[in-house]
Amino acid sequence: DGGITQSPKYLFRKEGQNVTLSCEQNLNHDAMYWYRQDPGQGLRLIYYSQIVNDFQKGDIAEGYSVSREKKESFPLTVTSAQKNPTAFYLCASSESGRYRETQYFGPGTRLLVL
Amino acid sequence: KQEVTQIPAALSVPEGENLVLNCSFTDSAIYNLQWFRQDPGKGLTSLLLIQSSQREQTSGRLNASLDKSSGRSTLYIAASQPGDSATYLCAVESGAQKLVFGQGTRLTINP
């Protein structure tokens, strides 16, 4: 089955700790995205990548970092600089990242601070 | 700056009713508008995508309309079922890789 997988489902972070969220897709899509969702709110774009070894900041990139070493993978690191990391994180992909494409979403990772 | 608003925030209706969810956006220069469904604690599932040149899209019991000039879209659900209970999100594409989401409408269908 083609799709997007995210792991872990739940992640706990201690103060001052960096944590990495995994996102893998086997849809052969070029573009991948990371969103953050807070309770009762819509999604906000953190980072996106249209091609391997290239990525762009979204609206709320501060305190986050990404890499795109492989087409299938787009991990997100939540650094200690992100002071309010508790949220639901969603990864998505689309065929090329050009206009007018449907984005396909993974099941999400919920990050909680201890 | 594009802003997307969904009203109401929550809606509860009896099974079998037809219903309409609303989405409004402030900048009419959009490429497309998408409606998504989100079940509790899950990711998003795309329901319908309306290109800026289209007026509506239909899929089964769902019909989405788009009026760019007034900055509005509606999602019509016919003959609602308990399985339709979820949060429905609309998003507009107002730039490449730039989806702007509304806050969602939490829909409950009562048996």
Side-chain angles (χ1 to χ4, degrees):
Chain A
D1 282 339
I4 301 175
T5 57
Q6 291 186 243
S7 61
K9 187 173 182 179
Y10 296 96
L11 187 57
F12 298 91
R13 193 191 91 162
K14 297 179 182 178
E15 291 288 336
Q17 185 181 41
N18 294 350
V19 292
T20 298
L21 285 62
S22 170
C23 177
E24 305 275 334
Q25 54 98 359
N26 61 5
L27 299 168
N28 200 32
H29 285 173
D30 286 321
M32 297 186 74
Y33 314 81
W34 274 106
Y35 292 92
R36 169 181 172 139
Q37 186 178 31
D38 293 283
Q41 297 189 33
L43 281 65
R44 292 182 289 168
L45 183 64
I46 305 173
Y47 269 98
Y48 65 94
S49 167
Q50 279 187 280
I51 196 169
V52 173
N53 292 324
D54 186 54
F55 47 83
Q56 306 295 328
K57 293 182 179 180
D59 298 322
I60 55 166
E62 185 174 351
Y64 300 97
S65 66
V66 293
S67 63
R68 186 86 187 277
E69 297 177 0
K70 297 188 300 181
K71 184 176 183 177
E72 303 79 20
S73 178
F74 191 39
L76 173 74
T77 296
V78 184
T79 74
S80 56
Q82 173 49 245
K83 298 306 179 188
N84 184 23
T86 297
F88 190 49
Y89 290 87
L90 289 157
C91 178
S93 72
S94 67
E95 191 168 339
S96 68
R98 299 193 192 102
Y99 300 98
R100 310 178 194 277
E101 289 182 343
T102 297
Q103 291 187 18
Y104 298 88
F105 284 78
T109 292
R110 188 165 301 279
L111 177 60
L112 300 165
V113 177
L114 295 177
Chain B
K1 178 185 173 186
Q2 178 74 267
E3 294 183 0
V4 179
T5 303
Q6 292 184 248
I7 295 174
L11 180 64
S12 181
V13 301
E15 181 178 1
E17 280 202 3
N18 303 325
L19 60 99
V20 174
L21 306 180
N22 296 295
C23 173
S24 61
F25 47 95
T26 54
D27 185 349
S28 62
I30 66 170
Y31 294 97
N32 62 48
L33 183 144
Q34 296 183 56
W35 283 93
F36 293 90
R37 170 186 172 135
Q38 185 177 32
D39 292 293
K42 305 289 186 184
L44 277 63
T45 300
S46 180
L47 298 173
L48 290 163
L49 184 152
I50 311 176
Q51 303 289 0
S52 60
S53 58
Q54 296 174 320
R55 298 281 293 183
E56 64 179 326
Q57 281 285 336
T58 298
S59 176
R61 294 183 293 108
L62 305 180
N63 176 276
S65 68
L66 174 63
D67 184 344
K68 272 195 355 175
S69 61
S70 66
R72 294 180 187 276
S73 175
T74 61
L75 179 67
Y76 175 84
I77 302 177
S80 59
Q81 303 170 358
D84 294 330
S85 297
T87 296
Y88 290 80
L89 294 149
C90 73
V92 299
E93 182 180 4
S94 55
Q97 301 89 38
K98 184 70 174 177
L99 285 184
V100 180
F101 283 82
Q103 311 94 314
T105 294
R106 189 174 68 252
L107 176 64
T108 303
I109 307 299
N110 300 305

